Amino acid sequence: MSLTFIAPPLQQINSEIARRAGVDLYVLRLDLMHPLVNGNKWFKLKYNLLEAKEKNFTTLLTFGGAYSNHIYATAAAGNLFGFRTIGVIRGEERLPLNPTLTFAVQQGMQLVYLNREMYRQRNTPALEEYLRQRFGEVFIIPEGGSNLNGVRGCTEIIDRAMPTAGYAYAFDHICVASGTATTLAGIALSLHEGQRAIAFSVLKNGAFLAQEIESLLTNYLASDLPTPYSSPASWELVCDYHFSGYAKVNNELILFSQQFTQEHGVPLDYVYTAKMFYGVMDLLQHGFFCKGDRLLLVHTGGLQGNVGMEERLQRFSKI
Ligand SMILES: *Cc1c(COP(=O)(O)O)cnc(C)c1O
């Protein structure tokens, strides 16, 4: 299974804040790997698609909210690799479809809506049984691609995505925005001695993610999936930059995001990367990192969501 990806560029950020802190800042631009299937969502899908193909499934079924980057990426990847796709969307159908779901349908995805109560059961055998009864033999990928196949794909982000072999060693801290922390777990499993992965929760009350990370790591290490390195995974969780919760924004975040893009030529999405970048810049100003540290900020993509977000913001500002 192959897609033509470009190796994600490693871009240095020349920021006054970083310079004053004596820290080198780099961004790994996973958002530029492919026009449709990019960011961390490709890494989380890769081994799921391979398993589906190996087991001769022809249909993928997965879950997500109406603006989900994962729904978008699954629809596009399914189309590129010849799978039928079914997207189970949380909540009621709203017409006209938003840009994310319009794209999904254009890629051939069949959309199905579940009310919030049923949607909450999405990881239960009972709901999976109901979906199999309704749609036949489908390969089910959890919301966000968040299973051990997803972790496995994410172990390849840092090492394989680096433009030059050995470059991955050059960084002390690898920062990533976290929703389910599957991406963080994969990155943490791929680090070398002395390196640390830092998860920035985009969820309110994100402290619970620490247990999620521990259990993902434990389950992964107990499985027979390959681990790149044997050094114990070193990670940290930062919970202070959720901006009131998932997909919530305020003027400060919007302004930061726009300024950052203008100054450094790196577009950010409001749900994930803007919050992580804001958090890193704030921590730099508060002496969280040491002089001489080298930071890698993983740009996990998600830019497709900005179209829908900007539409919503405009609607609110008119009220
Ligand atoms: C899904 C997503 C994340 C979160 O990934 P997890 O593995 O769920 O923590 C981060 N950034 C972007 C842009 C995403 O779409």
Side-chain angles (χ1 to χ4, degrees), residues 38-39 81 125 178 196 225-226 236 262 266 314:
N38 65 45
F81 293 112
S178 288
R196 176 171 66 152
L225 297 172
E236 190 165 331
Q262 216 163 48
V266 180
Q314 268 174 14

Side-chain angles (χ1 to χ4, degrees), residues 40-41 44 69 146 177-183 269 272-273 300-302:
N40 61 341
K41 295 302 183 281
K44 295 207 276 182
N69 295 327
S146 302
S178 288
T180 65
T182 311
T183 308
D269 83 295
Y272 294 100
T273 49
T300 40

Side-chain angles (χ1 to χ4, degrees), residues 261-279:
T261 303
Q262 216 163 48
E263 270 175 50
H264 305 295
V266 180
L268 301 173
D269 83 295
Y270 296 111
V271 180
Y272 294 100
T273 49
K275 293 182 182 181
M276 183 270 278
F277 278 66
Y278 183 103

